[in-house]
Amino acid sequence: MERKLQLHNSLTRQKEVFTPIEDGFIGMYVCGPTVYSDVHLGNCRTFVSFDIIYRYLLASGYKVRYVRNITDVGHLLDDGEDRMSKGARLQNLEPMEVAQKYSNGFHAMMDVFNTLKPSIEPRATGHIIEQIEMVQSIIDNGYGYEKNGSVYFDTIKFSNETGEYGKLSGRILEDLLTETRDNLKNQSEKRNPSDFAIWMKAADDHIMKWESPWSIGFPGWHLECSAMSTKYLGKQFDIHGGGNDLKFPHHENEVAQNIGSCGCQPANYWLHTNMLLMNGKKMSKSDGNTISPEELFTGDSPHVTKGYSPMVVKFFMLQSHYRSTLDLTDDGLLAAEKGYKRLMEAYKHLKKLETKGLSDEPQINKSILDLINAAYADMDDDFNTPRALSQLFAIVPMINSFVDGKMEINTVSKTTLLALKEAFDDFLNNILALKNDLDAGGGATTMVDGLMDLIIDIRQSARENKDWTTSDTIRDKMNELNIILKDGAEGTGWTLK
Ligand code: AMP
Ligand code: ZN
C-alpha cells in the first residue's frame, strides 16, 4: 500500500501532501522553551506533540535534522524587562545560572515523557554574531532602520513591497498598528506602531548585553529563531513548528526577518499545536487554574483526585489531535488511565501469543491487517494520534479473545500475527513511545518486570510444593507494597492497587 504523508500547513490553512525539499531528508525547526521558570504542562503538550511528529517521520524512513532551540535572551515581558534578567534578579542568580537551572529541569521533564533529544539544541546567547549579521542584512535590504542605538523592522515598507506581512497569522496590518509588544518604552522610536525591534540598545543596568555596530545591546526575541534555523537548516527548510500562541507575533516576525534578509520563506510547512486547557479554561497561575507536571504525577493538587503516571498523562495527550485544544480534567485522566492499562495489558498478552496458523481464516486476517494499515494511514493524515489509537483499540478485544480462548488463535496466520506484533511494537515503542510505567505490562522488558516474573515463579513453585507459608508470605508482602497478584487461566499477573 502506497503511503502518503499529509499535513496541515498553517501558512496555506490547508492539508497538503508533504514533499521534502530533498528526497528522504527533512529539516525541522521547533521553537524551544524560554528557560526562566519551570516548564509547565502546556509546554509539555507542545513538545510531546513535536516529539511524536519527529518519531513518526523517523519511523517513516526519513533522515531528520530536528533543531529545537533554547531561548535564553531577548524574550521580553510586557513591561519590557527580559524574562531571563527578571528571573535572575528575583532569584539572585546569574542569568546563565537561571538558564542552566531551567534547561536542566526542562530536559529532565522531556525524559520523563520519554521524548527523543533533538539533533541540535542551539542557544540564543551562543548565536549573537549570527543575529547581528542578520540585522545588518535586513538593514542593507532596506527593511531595518536604526534609532538611538536600537534597530527596528519596518513592517509597512516590507508589507508594501512584498505583500508578505500577516500571511501566516492571518492578521491585517491595520489591526497590528496598535500592537506594542516588544517594549513599551521605545514606541516613539518606531516609524510605525507595528514595527518590532530586532536589536535593542541596553540600559546601563541591563545584565545581558553585547557589542554591536549600533549599540551595546541585545537581539529581539524573534531574531534568534530566524538566525539559528538559517544556520543549521539553510535559508529554506521543510517544517517549522511551535504552539499556536507563537503564530503572532513570533512566527510572523520570523518570516518577515527571513524574507527581509534573504528573500525567501524560511519553511515550506508551518505546524502549530493547540493549547492545553484545564477544566475548560486557560491554565493560569493568577486564578489558581494551574497544575504542575509534578503535582499531576503525585496527585498533590485540588484539581485531581489522585496522581497519574507520566505515561498516562502522555496517553491522555495523545487521545487528542495536536491541532485541537486539550482540556485537562480529572475524569478525562481517569478514563485515560483505564484505556492505557487496557492497551498495555493487551500488548503484554500479544507478545506471548503464538500461532500455528492451522485453520487460517482470511476474514479474520484481513480485519487485523486492515486495522493496522488504518492506524498508519491515520498517522499519515496529519499525525492523527487519536484515530490511530482507536484502530489499535479495535484490535484489543480480538487479542483478549485469543488469550481467553473465545477465539481460536490458529485462525490467524503466522504472517498476520507477526505483522500485528510488529505494528504494536512500532506504535507503542517507537512512534507513541508509551513505555509501560504502570505495571508489568511490557513483559520482561524492564528490571521490575524481570524481578516480578522471578517472584511469581518462586511463589508458583512454592504452591506446587504445597508450601503455603511461602506463597502466602509473598502475596501478603506484595499486598503491603500495593502490588496485587492475580491468578488466572493464563498464569499469574500483577497490577498496582
Ligand atoms: P515558551 O517557553 O513560553 O516560549 O513556550 C514554549 C512552547 O510551549 C511554545 O511553543 C508555546 O507555544 C508552547 N505553549 C505555551 N503554553 C502552552 C499551552 N497552554 N498549551 C500548549 N502549548 C503551550
Ligand atoms: Zn522561535
Side-chain angles (χ1 to χ4, degrees):
M1 191 183 68
E2 214 215 317
R3 283 174 44 192
K4 230 186 221 156
L5 178 62
Q6 297 199 72
L7 36 86
H8 184 274
N9 190 350
S10 308
L11 198 58
T12 57
R13 291 167 188 72
Q14 57 191 4
K15 227 183 257 179
E16 296 174 0
V17 173
F18 175 70
T19 314
I21 295 169
E22 204 179 326
D23 210 16
F25 293 85
I26 294 178
M28 175 162 91
Y29 186 92
V30 172
C31 293
T34 307
V35 283
Y36 71 109
S37 66
D38 285 320
V39 60
H40 64 70
L41 267 174
N43 304 142
C44 294
R45 187 210 183 182
T46 285
F47 296 124
V48 164
S49 299
F50 282 107
D51 180 64
I52 303 294
I53 290 172
Y54 176 41
R55 284 171 174 278
Y56 190 65
L57 296 174
L58 290 175
S60 303
Y62 288 106
K63 194 164 184 320
V64 187
R65 179 178 291 169
Y66 173 25
V67 182
R68 187 186 66 204
N69 68 301
I70 296 263
T71 296
D72 56 359
V73 70
H75 193 168
L76 302 189
L77 295 156
D78 283 344
D79 64 2
E81 185 168 9
D82 186 296
R83 286 175 194 237
M84 299 305 304
S85 301
K86 184 168 184 184
R89 187 168 54 75
L90 293 181
Q91 299 177 62
N92 206 9
L93 296 171
E94 273 291 318
M96 275 299 135
E97 240 176 326
V98 175
Q100 190 66 55
K101 177 177 166 189
Y102 294 112
S103 300
N104 292 348
F106 168 65
H107 290 144
M109 193 53 71
M110 288 298 98
D111 285 347
V112 164
F113 279 112
N114 201 18
T115 66
L116 298 175
K117 293 179 185 7
S119 329
I120 304 177
E121 193 174 51
R123 285 169 176 270
T125 52
H127 297 76
I128 300 295
I129 292 172
E130 289 82 352
Q131 295 182 73
I132 289 175
E133 284 171 358
M134 194 168 245
V135 173
Q136 189 59 58
S137 63
I138 292 172
I139 295 175
D140 293 346
N141 290 338
Y143 298 121
Y145 58 93
E146 190 253 346
K147 190 81 202 264
N148 302 335
S150 290
V151 182
Y152 297 96
F153 191 96
D154 190 333
T155 50
I156 301 288
K157 182 160 189 265
F158 176 75
S159 178
N160 288 343
E161 289 181 11
T162 65
E164 291 285 344
Y165 200 65
K167 264 195 181 167
L168 178 64
S169 59
R171 300 209 182 186
I172 42 175
L173 204 57
E174 287 72 50
D175 290 350
L176 304 178
L177 292 179
T178 49
E179 293 284 347
T180 54
R181 294 288 281 268
D182 46 49
N183 193 340
L184 290 177
K185 292 173 210 141
N186 63 6
Q187 293 314 306
S188 59
E189 293 177 352
K190 295 180 182 180
R191 286 184 190 158
N192 318 291
S194 53
D195 292 356
F196 57 92
I198 46 183
W199 185 264
M200 275 174 273
K201 181 180 173 175
D204 288 345
D205 60 350
H206 198 96
I207 319 174
M208 297 170 90
K209 50 191 173 192
W210 293 264
E211 288 271 4
S212 82
W214 314 285
S215 63
I216 294 179
F218 56 96
W221 166 39
H222 318 302
L223 196 64
E224 59 170 282
C225 292
S226 290
M228 294 189 290
S229 63
T230 306
K231 171 157 179 156
Y232 297 110
L233 298 171
K235 289 178 182 167
Q236 225 167 359
F237 52 94
D238 299 294
I239 298 175
H240 193 311
N244 247 346
D245 58 333
L246 296 188
K247 253 192 212 166
F248 187 87
H250 186 55
H251 289 162
E252 193 67 66
N253 291 349
E254 251 189 86
V255 172
Q257 291 163 161
N258 281 72
I259 299 180
S261 70
C262 62
C264 58
Q265 255 292 344
N268 288 342
Y269 303 88
W270 284 81
L271 306 189
H272 287 101
T273 54
N274 215 324
M275 295 291 106
L276 177 73
L277 310 174
M278 188 160 66
N279 297 320
K281 285 187 291 182
K282 190 173 182 249
M283 271 207 193
S284 139
K285 276 192 189 150
S286 53
D287 61 12
N289 195 41
T290 183
I291 185 168
S292 71
E294 290 81 5
E295 286 165 347
L296 189 51
F297 301 152
T298 58
D300 185 14
S301 158
H303 298 294
V304 286
T305 51
K306 64 190 280 293
Y308 297 95
S309 81
M311 286 304 113
V312 167
V313 176
K314 182 171 176 179
F315 178 82
F316 172 75
M317 291 177 178
L318 300 182
Q319 281 183 309
S320 297
H321 189 248
Y322 74 89
R323 288 197 303 115
S324 311
T325 51
L326 172 61
D327 191 15
L328 191 86
T329 62
D330 192 52
D331 284 349
L333 286 159
L334 279 170
E337 187 174 67
K338 261 195 190 153
Y340 175 71
K341 275 185 179 166
R342 212 165 116 74
L343 187 62
M344 286 309 182
E345 277 295 309
Y347 181 37
K348 181 174 97 177
H349 291 314
L350 172 63
K351 284 184 180 180
K352 292 181 184 157
L353 280 181
E354 295 297 341
T355 182
K356 297 200 172 69
L358 296 174
S359 47
D360 173 352
E361 279 188 29
Q363 203 43 45
I364 292 181
N365 286 282
K366 183 173 179 314
S367 58
I368 293 175
L369 295 175
D370 283 351
L371 286 166
I372 295 172
N373 286 334
Y376 284 101
D378 288 334
M379 289 303 289
D380 283 334
D381 183 11
D382 197 24
F383 315 103
N384 198 321
T385 53
R387 280 218 318 259
L389 276 171
S390 75
Q391 313 293 357
L392 300 188
F393 270 103
I395 304 176
V396 166
M398 298 169 95
I399 295 174
N400 292 342
S401 301
F402 294 134
V403 171
D404 62 23
K406 285 195 189 120
M407 270 168 82
E408 172 53 53
I409 184 66
N410 284 320
T411 56
V412 180
S413 74
K414 284 188 177 175
T415 28
T416 303
L417 186 61
L418 185 65
L420 181 57
K421 288 184 179 184
E422 282 176 357
F424 266 67
D425 282 341
D426 197 23
F427 268 97
L428 299 183
N429 298 332
N430 295 338
I431 300 172
L432 307 178
L434 288 163
K435 69 173 182 213
N436 196 337
D437 61 2
L438 278 181
D439 60 23
T445 50
T446 64
M447 188 164 72
V448 175
D449 297 338
L451 290 172
M452 283 307 298
D453 281 351
L454 178 66
I455 293 168
I456 288 168
D457 284 350
I458 294 171
R459 178 168 167 267
Q460 187 53 28
S461 57
R463 284 165 58 141
E464 279 160 16
N465 295 330
K466 300 202 166 27
D467 175 1
W468 308 119
T469 320
T470 304
S471 76
D472 288 350
T473 307
I474 290 175
R475 179 187 287 268
D476 295 345
K477 288 276 176 211
M478 291 288 124
N479 205 24
E480 279 170 30
L481 292 168
N482 287 333
I483 299 169
I484 307 171
L485 298 181
K486 288 196 294 194
D487 298 316
E490 286 300 304
T492 304
W494 64 279
T495 51
L496 294 179
K497 256 188 213 169

PDB file of all heavy atoms in Angstrom, residues 94-117:
ATOM      1  N   GLU A  94      22.921  34.451  38.507  1.00  0.00           N
ATOM      2  CA  GLU A  94      23.417  34.887  37.199  1.00  0.00           C
ATOM      3  C   GLU A  94      22.367  34.482  36.159  1.00  0.00           C
ATOM      4  O   GLU A  94      21.806  33.379  36.268  1.00  0.00           O
ATOM      5  CB  GLU A  94      24.700  34.102  36.867  1.00  0.00           C
ATOM      6  CG  GLU A  94      25.969  34.701  37.388  1.00  0.00           C
ATOM      7  CD  GLU A  94      26.321  35.989  36.667  1.00  0.00           C
ATOM      8  OE1 GLU A  94      26.175  36.044  35.434  1.00  0.00           O
ATOM      9  OE2 GLU A  94      26.728  36.939  37.352  1.00  0.00           O
ATOM     10  N   PRO A  95      22.136  35.283  35.109  1.00  0.00           N
ATOM     11  CA  PRO A  95      21.188  34.852  34.066  1.00  0.00           C
ATOM     12  C   PRO A  95      21.542  33.466  33.501  1.00  0.00           C
ATOM     13  O   PRO A  95      20.659  32.655  33.250  1.00  0.00           O
ATOM     14  CB  PRO A  95      21.321  35.930  32.993  1.00  0.00           C
ATOM     15  CG  PRO A  95      21.779  37.139  33.728  1.00  0.00           C
ATOM     16  CD  PRO A  95      22.634  36.665  34.864  1.00  0.00           C
ATOM     17  N   MET A  96      22.840  33.207  33.350  1.00  0.00           N
ATOM     18  CA  MET A  96      23.231  31.892  32.817  1.00  0.00           C
ATOM     19  C   MET A  96      22.899  30.769  33.809  1.00  0.00           C
ATOM     20  O   MET A  96      22.665  29.629  33.410  1.00  0.00           O
ATOM     21  CB  MET A  96      24.734  31.864  32.499  1.00  0.00           C
ATOM     22  CG  MET A  96      25.061  32.396  31.140  1.00  0.00           C
ATOM     23  SD  MET A  96      24.252  31.419  29.856  1.00  0.00           S
ATOM     24  CE  MET A  96      23.635  32.720  28.832  1.00  0.00           C
ATOM     25  N   GLU A  97      22.913  31.107  35.090  1.00  0.00           N
ATOM     26  CA  GLU A  97      22.537  30.117  36.109  1.00  0.00           C
ATOM     27  C   GLU A  97      21.044  29.805  35.995  1.00  0.00           C
ATOM     28  O   GLU A  97      20.618  28.649  36.114  1.00  0.00           O
ATOM     29  CB  GLU A  97      22.804  30.710  37.497  1.00  0.00           C
ATOM     30  CG  GLU A  97      23.792  29.942  38.327  1.00  0.00           C
ATOM     31  CD  GLU A  97      24.070  30.659  39.642  1.00  0.00           C
ATOM     32  OE1 GLU A  97      24.074  31.916  39.676  1.00  0.00           O
ATOM     33  OE2 GLU A  97      24.267  29.954  40.639  1.00  0.00           O
ATOM     34  N   VAL A  98      20.261  30.863  35.766  1.00  0.00           N
ATOM     35  CA  VAL A  98      18.819  30.674  35.590  1.00  0.00           C
ATOM     36  C   VAL A  98      18.583  29.782  34.367  1.00  0.00           C
ATOM     37  O   VAL A  98      17.826  28.815  34.415  1.00  0.00           O
ATOM     38  CB  VAL A  98      18.113  32.043  35.397  1.00  0.00           C
ATOM     39  CG1 VAL A  98      16.642  31.857  35.093  1.00  0.00           C
ATOM     40  CG2 VAL A  98      18.291  32.907  36.620  1.00  0.00           C
ATOM     41  N   ALA A  99      19.274  30.135  33.274  1.00  0.00           N
ATOM     42  CA  ALA A  99      19.099  29.369  32.029  1.00  0.00           C
ATOM     43  C   ALA A  99      19.479  27.904  32.233  1.00  0.00           C
ATOM     44  O   ALA A  99      18.762  26.996  31.794  1.00  0.00           O
ATOM     45  CB  ALA A  99      19.950  29.977  30.919  1.00  0.00           C
ATOM     46  N   GLN A 100      20.586  27.675  32.946  1.00  0.00           N
ATOM     47  CA  GLN A 100      21.047  26.302  33.159  1.00  0.00           C
ATOM     48  C   GLN A 100      20.054  25.528  34.026  1.00  0.00           C
ATOM     49  O   GLN A 100      19.686  24.392  33.723  1.00  0.00           O
ATOM     50  CB  GLN A 100      22.435  26.316  33.828  1.00  0.00           C
ATOM     51  CG  GLN A 100      23.096  24.957  33.871  1.00  0.00           C
ATOM     52  CD  GLN A 100      23.424  24.450  32.475  1.00  0.00           C
ATOM     53  OE1 GLN A 100      24.100  25.146  31.719  1.00  0.00           O
ATOM     54  NE2 GLN A 100      22.936  23.275  32.126  1.00  0.00           N
ATOM     55  N   LYS A 101      19.628  26.193  35.106  1.00  0.00           N
ATOM     56  CA  LYS A 101      18.718  25.532  36.053  1.00  0.00           C
ATOM     57  C   LYS A 101      17.441  25.060  35.344  1.00  0.00           C
ATOM     58  O   LYS A 101      17.034  23.897  35.471  1.00  0.00           O
ATOM     59  CB  LYS A 101      18.368  26.537  37.164  1.00  0.00           C
ATOM     60  CG  LYS A 101      17.388  26.042  38.185  1.00  0.00           C
ATOM     61  CD  LYS A 101      17.186  27.089  39.276  1.00  0.00           C
ATOM     62  CE  LYS A 101      15.957  26.754  40.100  1.00  0.00           C
ATOM     63  NZ  LYS A 101      15.597  27.821  41.028  1.00  0.00           N
ATOM     64  N   TYR A 102      16.841  25.967  34.563  1.00  0.00           N
ATOM     65  CA  TYR A 102      15.565  25.586  33.955  1.00  0.00           C
ATOM     66  C   TYR A 102      15.744  24.749  32.683  1.00  0.00           C
ATOM     67  O   TYR A 102      14.838  24.013  32.304  1.00  0.00           O
ATOM     68  CB  TYR A 102      14.694  26.829  33.727  1.00  0.00           C
ATOM     69  CG  TYR A 102      14.289  27.431  35.053  1.00  0.00           C
ATOM     70  CD1 TYR A 102      14.765  28.670  35.458  1.00  0.00           C
ATOM     71  CD2 TYR A 102      13.482  26.714  35.927  1.00  0.00           C
ATOM     72  CE1 TYR A 102      14.424  29.203  36.698  1.00  0.00           C
ATOM     73  CE2 TYR A 102      13.137  27.227  37.169  1.00  0.00           C
ATOM     74  CZ  TYR A 102      13.607  28.472  37.549  1.00  0.00           C
ATOM     75  OH  TYR A 102      13.272  28.969  38.773  1.00  0.00           O
ATOM     76  N   SER A 103      16.918  24.842  32.057  1.00  0.00           N
ATOM     77  CA  SER A 103      17.192  23.917  30.932  1.00  0.00           C
ATOM     78  C   SER A 103      17.295  22.507  31.496  1.00  0.00           C
ATOM     79  O   SER A 103      16.772  21.555  30.903  1.00  0.00           O
ATOM     80  CB  SER A 103      18.508  24.239  30.223  1.00  0.00           C
ATOM     81  OG  SER A 103      18.485  25.523  29.698  1.00  0.00           O
ATOM     82  N   ASN A 104      17.990  22.376  32.636  1.00  0.00           N
ATOM     83  CA  ASN A 104      18.113  21.048  33.253  1.00  0.00           C
ATOM     84  C   ASN A 104      16.727  20.490  33.584  1.00  0.00           C
ATOM     85  O   ASN A 104      16.431  19.322  33.310  1.00  0.00           O
ATOM     86  CB  ASN A 104      18.939  21.118  34.547  1.00  0.00           C
ATOM     87  CG  ASN A 104      20.405  21.441  34.283  1.00  0.00           C
ATOM     88  OD1 ASN A 104      20.850  21.397  33.141  1.00  0.00           O
ATOM     89  ND2 ASN A 104      21.140  21.780  35.327  1.00  0.00           N
ATOM     90  N   GLY A 105      15.894  21.341  34.183  1.00  0.00           N
ATOM     91  CA  GLY A 105      14.542  20.900  34.553  1.00  0.00           C
ATOM     92  C   GLY A 105      13.735  20.503  33.325  1.00  0.00           C
ATOM     93  O   GLY A 105      13.018  19.494  33.328  1.00  0.00           O
ATOM     94  N   PHE A 106      13.876  21.293  32.281  1.00  0.00           N
ATOM     95  CA  PHE A 106      13.166  21.010  31.035  1.00  0.00           C
ATOM     96  C   PHE A 106      13.603  19.654  30.458  1.00  0.00           C
ATOM     97  O   PHE A 106      12.778  18.816  30.086  1.00  0.00           O
ATOM     98  CB  PHE A 106      13.442  22.152  30.043  1.00  0.00           C
ATOM     99  CG  PHE A 106      13.004  21.863  28.639  1.00  0.00           C
ATOM    100  CD1 PHE A 106      11.655  21.689  28.332  1.00  0.00           C
ATOM    101  CD2 PHE A 106      13.926  21.756  27.605  1.00  0.00           C
ATOM    102  CE1 PHE A 106      11.239  21.420  27.033  1.00  0.00           C
ATOM    103  CE2 PHE A 106      13.528  21.479  26.315  1.00  0.00           C
ATOM    104  CZ  PHE A 106      12.183  21.309  26.026  1.00  0.00           C
ATOM    105  N   HIS A 107      14.928  19.440  30.421  1.00  0.00           N
ATOM    106  CA  HIS A 107      15.428  18.176  29.871  1.00  0.00           C
ATOM    107  C   HIS A 107      14.953  16.980  30.703  1.00  0.00           C
ATOM    108  O   HIS A 107      14.580  15.941  30.156  1.00  0.00           O
ATOM    109  CB  HIS A 107      16.966  18.194  29.811  1.00  0.00           C
ATOM    110  CG  HIS A 107      17.482  19.133  28.775  1.00  0.00           C
ATOM    111  ND1 HIS A 107      18.617  19.878  28.920  1.00  0.00           N
ATOM    112  CD2 HIS A 107      16.985  19.467  27.557  1.00  0.00           C
ATOM    113  CE1 HIS A 107      18.801  20.617  27.835  1.00  0.00           C
ATOM    114  NE2 HIS A 107      17.827  20.386  27.001  1.00  0.00           N
ATOM    115  N   ALA A 108      14.967  17.152  32.029  1.00  0.00           N
ATOM    116  CA  ALA A 108      14.528  16.057  32.897  1.00  0.00           C
ATOM    117  C   ALA A 108      13.062  15.731  32.603  1.00  0.00           C
ATOM    118  O   ALA A 108      12.673  14.558  32.517  1.00  0.00           O
ATOM    119  CB  ALA A 108      14.728  16.439  34.367  1.00  0.00           C
ATOM    120  N   MET A 109      12.245  16.786  32.425  1.00  0.00           N
ATOM    121  CA  MET A 109      10.820  16.549  32.154  1.00  0.00           C
ATOM    122  C   MET A 109      10.620  15.898  30.781  1.00  0.00           C
ATOM    123  O   MET A 109       9.755  15.033  30.608  1.00  0.00           O
ATOM    124  CB  MET A 109      10.061  17.880  32.243  1.00  0.00           C
ATOM    125  CG  MET A 109       8.562  17.728  32.294  1.00  0.00           C
ATOM    126  SD  MET A 109       7.990  16.600  33.585  1.00  0.00           S
ATOM    127  CE  MET A 109       8.336  17.567  35.049  1.00  0.00           C
ATOM    128  N   MET A 110      11.431  16.282  29.827  1.00  0.00           N
ATOM    129  CA  MET A 110      11.328  15.658  28.497  1.00  0.00           C
ATOM    130  C   MET A 110      11.686  14.163  28.579  1.00  0.00           C
ATOM    131  O   MET A 110      11.107  13.344  27.887  1.00  0.00           O
ATOM    132  CB  MET A 110      12.235  16.386  27.494  1.00  0.00           C
ATOM    133  CG  MET A 110      11.749  17.760  27.086  1.00  0.00           C
ATOM    134  SD  MET A 110      10.141  17.727  26.245  1.00  0.00           S
ATOM    135  CE  MET A 110       9.016  18.141  27.552  1.00  0.00           C
ATOM    136  N   ASP A 111      12.641  13.833  29.471  1.00  0.00           N
ATOM    137  CA  ASP A 111      12.982  12.411  29.674  1.00  0.00           C
ATOM    138  C   ASP A 111      11.815  11.669  30.324  1.00  0.00           C
ATOM    139  O   ASP A 111      11.511  10.534  29.965  1.00  0.00           O
ATOM    140  CB  ASP A 111      14.223  12.271  30.580  1.00  0.00           C
ATOM    141  CG  ASP A 111      15.497  12.619  29.829  1.00  0.00           C
ATOM    142  OD1 ASP A 111      15.437  12.713  28.585  1.00  0.00           O
ATOM    143  OD2 ASP A 111      16.541  12.818  30.485  1.00  0.00           O
ATOM    144  N   VAL A 112      11.181  12.323  31.303  1.00  0.00           N
ATOM    145  CA  VAL A 112      10.042  11.700  31.988  1.00  0.00           C
ATOM    146  C   VAL A 112       8.953  11.341  30.971  1.00  0.00           C
ATOM    147  O   VAL A 112       8.322  10.295  31.058  1.00  0.00           O
ATOM    148  CB  VAL A 112       9.493  12.657  33.084  1.00  0.00           C
ATOM    149  CG1 VAL A 112       8.117  12.237  33.544  1.00  0.00           C
ATOM    150  CG2 VAL A 112      10.457  12.718  34.259  1.00  0.00           C
ATOM    151  N   PHE A 113       8.779  12.205  29.973  1.00  0.00           N
ATOM    152  CA  PHE A 113       7.757  11.938  28.957  1.00  0.00           C
ATOM    153  C   PHE A 113       8.296  11.058  27.815  1.00  0.00           C
ATOM    154  O   PHE A 113       7.624  10.882  26.803  1.00  0.00           O
ATOM    155  CB  PHE A 113       7.189  13.243  28.394  1.00  0.00           C
ATOM    156  CG  PHE A 113       6.137  13.858  29.293  1.00  0.00           C
ATOM    157  CD1 PHE A 113       6.376  15.053  29.960  1.00  0.00           C
ATOM    158  CD2 PHE A 113       4.923  13.227  29.488  1.00  0.00           C
ATOM    159  CE1 PHE A 113       5.407  15.613  30.786  1.00  0.00           C
ATOM    160  CE2 PHE A 113       3.946  13.772  30.305  1.00  0.00           C
ATOM    161  CZ  PHE A 113       4.196  14.963  30.961  1.00  0.00           C
ATOM    162  N   ASN A 114       9.513  10.545  28.020  1.00  0.00           N
ATOM    163  CA  ASN A 114      10.081   9.597  27.059  1.00  0.00           C
ATOM    164  C   ASN A 114      10.171  10.187  25.650  1.00  0.00           C
ATOM    165  O   ASN A 114       9.748   9.576  24.675  1.00  0.00           O
ATOM    166  CB  ASN A 114       9.223   8.322  27.042  1.00  0.00           C
ATOM    167  CG  ASN A 114       9.989   7.135  26.498  1.00  0.00           C
ATOM    168  OD1 ASN A 114      11.205   7.149  26.443  1.00  0.00           O
ATOM    169  ND2 ASN A 114       9.255   6.107  26.086  1.00  0.00           N
ATOM    170  N   THR A 115      10.716  11.399  25.568  1.00  0.00           N
ATOM    171  CA  THR A 115      10.875  12.025  24.248  1.00  0.00           C
ATOM    172  C   THR A 115      12.336  11.923  23.808  1.00  0.00           C
ATOM    173  O   THR A 115      13.236  11.786  24.640  1.00  0.00           O
ATOM    174  CB  THR A 115      10.473  13.518  24.267  1.00  0.00           C
ATOM    175  OG1 THR A 115      11.395  14.221  25.108  1.00  0.00           O
ATOM    176  CG2 THR A 115       9.061  13.717  24.791  1.00  0.00           C
ATOM    177  N   LEU A 116      12.545  12.010  22.504  1.00  0.00           N
ATOM    178  CA  LEU A 116      13.904  11.956  21.962  1.00  0.00           C
ATOM    179  C   LEU A 116      14.548  13.335  22.044  1.00  0.00           C
ATOM    180  O   LEU A 116      13.855  14.354  21.982  1.00  0.00           O
ATOM    181  CB  LEU A 116      13.864  11.521  20.497  1.00  0.00           C
ATOM    182  CG  LEU A 116      13.298  10.135  20.204  1.00  0.00           C
ATOM    183  CD1 LEU A 116      13.214   9.922  18.691  1.00  0.00           C
ATOM    184  CD2 LEU A 116      14.171   9.053  20.838  1.00  0.00           C
ATOM    185  N   LYS A 117      15.858  13.343  22.137  1.00  0.00           N
ATOM    186  CA  LYS A 117      16.555  14.627  22.145  1.00  0.00           C
ATOM    187  C   LYS A 117      16.606  15.146  20.707  1.00  0.00           C
ATOM    188  O   LYS A 117      16.695  14.353  19.768  1.00  0.00           O
ATOM    189  CB  LYS A 117      17.969  14.436  22.673  1.00  0.00           C
ATOM    190  CG  LYS A 117      17.969  14.044  24.147  1.00  0.00           C
ATOM    191  CD  LYS A 117      19.350  13.837  24.679  1.00  0.00           C
ATOM    192  CE  LYS A 117      19.387  13.336  26.118  1.00  0.00           C
ATOM    193  NZ  LYS A 117      18.131  12.966  26.759  1.00  0.00           N
TER     194      LYS A 117
END
